Amino acid sequence: MTTYIEKLESRYTAKKFTPNISIPSKTIEDIKRILQLSPSSTNSQPWHFVIATSEESKERIAESARGFYEFNAGKITDASAVVVLCTKSTVDTDYTDTVLLQEEKDGRFPNNEVKEMNRKGREFFMLKHRDTLNDAQHWMEKQTFIALGNLLVGAEHLGLQACPMEGFDYEYLTEALALDKKGFVPTVIVSLGYGADDDFNANTPKSRLPQQSIITEI
Amino acid sequence: MTTYIEKLESRYTAKKFTPNISIPSKTIEDIKRILQLSPSSTNSQPWHFVIATSEESKERIAESARGFYEFNAGKITDASAVVVLCTKSTVDTDYTDTVLLQEEKDGRFPNNEVKEMNRKGREFFMLKHRDTLNDAQHWMEKQTFIALGNLLVGAEHLGLQACPMEGFDYEYLTEALALDKKGFVPTVIVSLGYGADDDFNANTPKSRLPQQSIITEI
C-alpha cells in the first residue's frame, strides 16, 4: 500500500500535459468530492470552484494567461480539466447563517445551545477579520489555499498530475467567468490531467529546505 | 485499501484529546516529513514549524490561549504534540537565494539558464507581493495554510486526530517562543494526538455545503 508520504514524494507540478485526453467522469466526481471535503476555519467554506472540461471553456480560461503570463496558456489548454479556485468577496451574516443551517440540516446540533455556540464562534472569527483586522479577503483566501493543497495532493492519489498557477490576469478572468456578479474573486488556477512524457519536471528531483532549518522541536 | 477520499470523510476536528499519551517517535518523524513536503507557490516554503512534545513546552503554548481564548487551553495541554505553524515575517532576495541554492543542491538545474529562469520566477512573485501588491505577509501565510491542510489530512493517515486553532494571543505566543527574533509570526496552532472517547465531535456528522452551491461545471 502506498502511504500518504509516498504520494507527497511522488507528486510533482506538471509543466506539460498530454493534450486531448479526458479524465473519466468517475474521477471528475472524485475531484469534486475532494474539493467539497476540504477543511476550513470554522468550517466557513468561503469558496467556489469552476471546473472546465470542454475545449471552449479551457480556451476561455487560458485567455487570462495573457501578456507576461502567456507561458501558462498551454498548461491550461492542454490540461484535461481546469479548476479555478475562487474565494468569496464579501462576508455577512447571511452567509454565516447559510453555513449554520447546513450544519443543522446535517445533524450537527443536538440542541439550540450548541447551535448558538456554533453561530457565535463562526461569526466571531469571520466578523473579526472583516471589521477589526480588515483582512477578511485574505483570511478567506487562506481557506481556499487549504482546498488548493488538498486538491494538489488528492490529484496524485487519483493518478492525475496537477499544475497550480497564480500567473494570470485576475481582472480578465473575473470578467470572463462573470465571477464578480456571483460574489467571488479568482484565487488560483489548477490544471489537471496527464503529464507529458517529455515534461522536464517529471524527472527532476523534488527539493525542500532541510528539516533542521524549518523545524524546531521543543 | 482506504482511499484518500475516505480519509477526508473520516477525519474530524478533535475537540477533546486523551491526555498523557505520547506519539511514537516514528510518527513524529512522519509528521515532520509531511510538513517538509508541503507544496507552496514557487516552492517558496516561507514557513517554520515549532513542534512541542514535552509537558512544559505544551504548557508554554497553552498560555497563549488566554482570556477570551481560554476554551482552547485544554486542547493544547491534553494533546500529545502541538505544532505551531509559523510564517516568515520578511521577504528578501537573501531568502529567495536560499531556496534557489537548495534547489541547485538537490539537482533541479541542468544548466545555468534553467537556474536563472527559476530565480527570476520566484523573485518575480515574491517581490510583486512585497512591493506592488503589499500583501507579502498574507501571501506567505496562504502558503502556510497549504501546509496546514496537508497536516490535517496527513494526521488522519497517520492515525492521529488534529485540532487547528486560530484562537490564541498572537503577541503573547510570539514573545513566548521568541518568534520575532527568528523572523517569524505564528499563524495557526495544530494540536495532534488521540481523540477522547467522549469527544462530542467524534461522532457528530460531517457537514459541507452541497456541491451544486460550491461548484460550477463549464
Side-chain angles (χ1 to χ4, degrees):
Chain A
M1 179 187 155
T2 313
T3 67
Y4 184 79
I5 290 176
E6 284 165 343
K7 290 292 187 189
L8 286 179
E9 285 168 342
S10 61
R11 63 163 290 281
Y12 69 94
T13 292
K15 300 289 186 180
K16 191 175 177 188
F17 289 98
T18 307
N20 306 316
I21 307 187
S22 294
I23 295 174
S25 58
K26 163 76 177 65
T27 307
I28 295 283
E29 292 308 309
D30 286 345
I31 292 166
K32 290 159 63 178
R33 185 71 178 144
I34 285 171
L35 290 167
Q36 183 188 22
L37 285 167
S38 296
S40 57
S41 299
T42 71
N43 201 22
S44 52
Q45 310 165 70
W47 46 48
H48 196 86
F49 309 108
V50 179
I51 305 180
T53 46
S54 73
E55 295 309 309
E56 182 272 333
S57 302
K58 287 185 276 175
E59 281 289 350
R60 190 146 44 114
I61 294 169
E63 278 177 23
S64 71
R66 44 203 288 130
F68 180 75
Y69 298 117
E70 213 171 333
F71 57 89
N72 277 332
K75 295 179 218 157
I76 297 171
T77 49
D78 287 346
S80 303
V82 178
V83 184
V84 181
L85 292 91
C86 306
T87 306
K88 274 178 64 62
S89 55
T90 54
V91 172
D92 53 46
T93 52
D94 281 354
Y95 180 73
T96 54
D97 280 349
T98 300
V99 176
L100 188 81
L101 291 176
Q102 184 66 43
E103 291 207 347
E104 182 166 45
K105 196 174 158 188
D106 289 333
R108 287 190 56 82
F109 308 136
N111 55 52
N112 251 324
E113 198 190 345
V114 174
K115 181 181 170 184
E116 279 312 302
M117 269 180 54
N118 180 294
R119 175 205 297 277
K120 282 181 190 157
R122 187 174 302 108
E123 284 184 6
F124 171 78
F125 280 102
M126 292 195 82
L127 300 181
K128 183 178 84 162
H129 282 283
R130 186 187 70 179
D131 301 331
T132 310
L133 300 174
N134 294 309
D135 66 355
Q137 187 66 56
H138 285 300
W139 183 76
M140 292 193 290
E141 289 196 354
K142 287 167 192 171
Q143 314 311 322
T144 303
F145 267 63
I146 295 179
L148 168 64
N150 186 26
L151 178 60
L152 297 180
V153 177
E156 179 73 9
H157 287 254
L158 298 179
L160 299 172
Q161 280 72 57
C163 178
M165 288 165 277
E166 292 185 287
F168 60 91
D169 184 326
Y170 282 69
E171 281 181 38
Y172 184 91
L173 191 58
T174 300
E175 287 209 15
L177 299 179
L179 296 173
D180 46 349
K181 292 187 185 70
K182 297 167 188 159
F184 298 107
V185 296
T187 298
V188 57
I189 296 173
V190 175
S191 284
L192 296 167
Y194 302 92
D197 289 337
D198 60 343
D199 179 356
F200 76 92
N201 209 37
N203 298 306
T204 302
K206 188 179 288 296
S207 173
R208 290 294 187 271
L209 295 171
Q211 289 189 6
Q212 61 266 31
S213 79
I214 59 158
I215 292 171
T216 302
E217 292 184 80
I218 61 173
Chain B
M1 179 187 154
T2 313
T3 66
Y4 183 79
I5 290 176
E6 284 166 344
K7 290 292 187 189
L8 286 179
E9 284 167 344
S10 61
R11 64 163 289 282
Y12 68 95
T13 292
K15 301 290 186 178
K16 192 175 176 189
F17 288 98
T18 306
N20 306 315
I21 306 187
S22 294
I23 295 174
S25 57
K26 162 74 176 68
T27 308
I28 295 283
E29 292 307 309
D30 286 344
I31 292 166
K32 290 159 63 179
R33 185 71 177 144
I34 286 171
L35 289 167
Q36 182 187 24
L37 285 168
S38 295
S40 56
S41 298
T42 70
N43 200 22
S44 52
Q45 308 165 71
W47 46 47
H48 195 87
F49 309 107
V50 179
I51 304 178
T53 47
S54 74
E55 295 310 308
E56 182 272 334
S57 302
K58 286 184 277 177
E59 281 290 349
R60 190 144 45 112
I61 294 168
E63 279 177 23
S64 71
R66 44 205 289 130
F68 180 76
Y69 298 116
E70 212 171 334
F71 57 88
N72 277 330
K75 295 179 221 160
I76 298 171
T77 50
D78 287 345
S80 303
V82 178
V83 183
V84 182
L85 292 92
C86 307
T87 307
K88 276 178 64 62
S89 55
T90 54
V91 173
D92 53 45
T93 52
D94 281 354
Y95 179 72
T96 53
D97 281 349
T98 300
V99 176
L100 188 81
L101 291 176
Q102 184 65 45
E103 292 207 347
E104 180 166 47
K105 195 174 157 188
D106 289 333
R108 287 190 58 81
F109 308 135
N111 56 52
N112 252 324
E113 196 191 346
V114 173
K115 181 180 171 185
E116 279 311 302
M117 269 181 53
N118 180 294
R119 175 205 296 276
K120 281 180 190 159
R122 186 175 302 106
E123 285 184 6
F124 170 78
F125 280 102
M126 293 196 81
L127 300 181
K128 182 179 84 162
H129 282 284
R130 186 187 71 180
D131 302 330
T132 309
L133 300 173
N134 294 308
D135 65 356
Q137 188 67 54
H138 285 300
W139 183 77
M140 292 192 292
E141 289 195 355
K142 287 168 193 172
Q143 314 311 322
T144 303
F145 267 62
I146 295 179
L148 167 63
N150 186 25
L151 178 61
L152 297 180
V153 177
E156 179 73 8
H157 287 254
L158 299 179
L160 299 171
Q161 281 72 57
C163 178
M165 286 165 278
E166 293 185 287
F168 59 91
D169 184 325
Y170 282 70
E171 281 181 37
Y172 184 91
L173 190 58
T174 299
E175 285 208 15
L177 299 179
L179 295 174
D180 46 348
K181 293 187 184 69
K182 295 167 190 160
F184 298 106
V185 296
T187 298
V188 58
I189 296 173
V190 175
S191 284
L192 296 167
Y194 303 92
D197 289 338
D198 60 343
D199 179 355
F200 76 93
N201 209 36
N203 298 305
T204 302
K206 188 179 289 295
S207 173
R208 291 293 187 271
L209 297 172
Q211 289 189 4
Q212 59 265 35
S213 79
I214 59 158
I215 292 171
T216 302
E217 292 185 80
I218 61 174

